[in-house]
Amino acid sequence: MKIFLLLFPLILIFSLSGCSSDPKVKDIPVSEIKDAIISQNLIDVNPLNDIPAQDAPALSSVKDKIEESFMLGAMINVKLRDVIVVKTDDSEPIIKALEDYKDSSLKMFADEYGEEDNAESISNFVLKTIGNYVYFIATPNSSDIETTILNLIQE
């Protein structure tokens, strides 16, 4: 029993210090992220569709959870080039909505359009939460876009 009482505080301290090792996240407007992606020409389609993500059908059910957002993609729905960034205090419903979007829309691109280019976008897709940012990327160069996002939001 004494060993447990001695070990419990140590375990607690180590587990709490592990939680604090998360990268610090800056509070920047999502428009800065969008501007960086556009200025670096990281999406290879023209014209580029640029809308608030809450206006997209995939996120309409959770638009009240969104503080700021954008969705960049191909104007014509033949090439899969989706970049969605959402700033929110409640990421779980956003992630669920984006997972549903991934399961339905990305499958459509793979099954119906089936271009090799779209298959690459699907295989490189990213859905992550960092701090109060949720981002969804489905492009052939998802890692480049994710690096740009992380460089902007992480301290």
Side-chain angles (χ1 to χ4, degrees):
M1 182 67 167
K2 287 182 182 182
I3 292 175
F4 175 74
L5 291 175
L6 289 173
L7 290 178
F8 181 74
L10 289 174
I11 293 170
L12 183 62
I13 289 169
F14 284 120
S15 65
L16 290 177
S17 66
C19 293
S20 66
S21 65
D22 289 338
K24 299 222 183 243
V25 177
K26 298 178 201 172
D27 184 20
I28 64 167
V30 297
S31 61
E32 287 185 30
I33 299 169
K34 178 177 68 173
D35 293 344
I37 292 168
I38 292 171
S39 70
Q40 295 176 31
N41 294 317
L42 293 174
I43 301 178
D44 64 344
V45 293
N46 197 8
L48 186 63
N49 194 21
D50 175 4
I51 63 170
Q54 61 264 30
D55 293 348
L59 292 173
S60 63
S61 65
V62 293
K63 64 181 169 185
D64 60 322
K65 306 281 185 198
I66 297 173
E67 291 176 33
E68 297 177 55
S69 68
F70 69 85
M71 178 176 183
L72 300 173
M75 187 73 76
I76 300 171
N77 291 333
V78 176
K79 279 194 168 214
L80 178 58
R81 299 291 189 272
D82 284 352
V83 177
I84 301 170
V85 177
V86 172
K87 192 175 189 181
T88 182
D89 288 331
D90 190 4
S91 62
E92 289 305 314
I94 308 294
I95 291 169
K96 172 74 171 102
L98 289 171
E99 285 174 346
D100 292 346
Y101 172 68
K102 175 195 68 134
D103 292 342
S104 63
S105 292
L106 297 191
K107 182 172 176 20
M108 175 188 69
F109 275 101
D111 294 345
E112 293 180 21
Y113 299 115
E115 293 181 22
E116 185 176 314
D117 191 47
N118 288 343
E120 186 178 2
S121 293
I122 293 166
S123 68
N124 292 334
F125 117 89
V126 175
L127 174 59
K128 290 188 182 171
T129 302
I130 305 285
N132 59 340
Y133 297 91
V134 177
Y135 57 91
F136 174 96
I137 309 166
T139 67
N141 62 334
S142 294
S143 62
D144 295 338
I145 295 171
E146 181 177 26
T147 298
T148 297
I149 293 170
L150 293 175
N151 287 340
L152 288 167
I153 65 173
Q154 289 182 338
E155 290 184 358

